[in-house]
Amino acid sequence: MDIGSGYALTLMLKATEEYMVFYSQEEFDEYIREHNLSEGDYIDGFIHYELPPEPFIEEK
């Protein structure tokens, strides 16, 4: 599943404090499986890379 434009999942390994960025939930889950990580090994979250455009308000 693509998580949408402008957003990415982040993962921080607690042992090394290394950050990783993933652009889909599948990519994120695959990394966790491949490295045999448990929930206590990392901190996950979303990061917002770009702000949505400002709404156009026509002045009268």
Side-chain angles (χ1 to χ4, degrees):
M1 167 181 84
D2 185 5
I3 55 177
S5 176
Y7 289 89
L9 283 164
T10 59
L11 174 144
M12 190 208 36
L13 299 173
K14 289 182 179 179
T16 61
E17 296 187 0
E18 177 184 3
Y19 279 91
M20 315 219 41
V21 177
F22 302 93
Y23 297 99
S24 72
Q25 185 68 49
E26 289 83 9
E27 185 181 9
F28 181 86
D29 293 340
E30 181 179 332
Y31 182 86
I32 291 171
R33 274 193 309 276
E34 285 179 1
H35 293 85
N36 199 26
L37 299 175
S38 68
E39 288 187 21
D41 296 330
Y42 64 90
I43 299 170
D44 65 334
F46 282 97
I47 186 168
H48 192 123
Y49 278 116
E50 57 190 45
L51 294 173
E54 292 285 327
F56 177 75
I57 301 173
E58 189 176 323
E59 292 183 26
K60 294 182 179 186

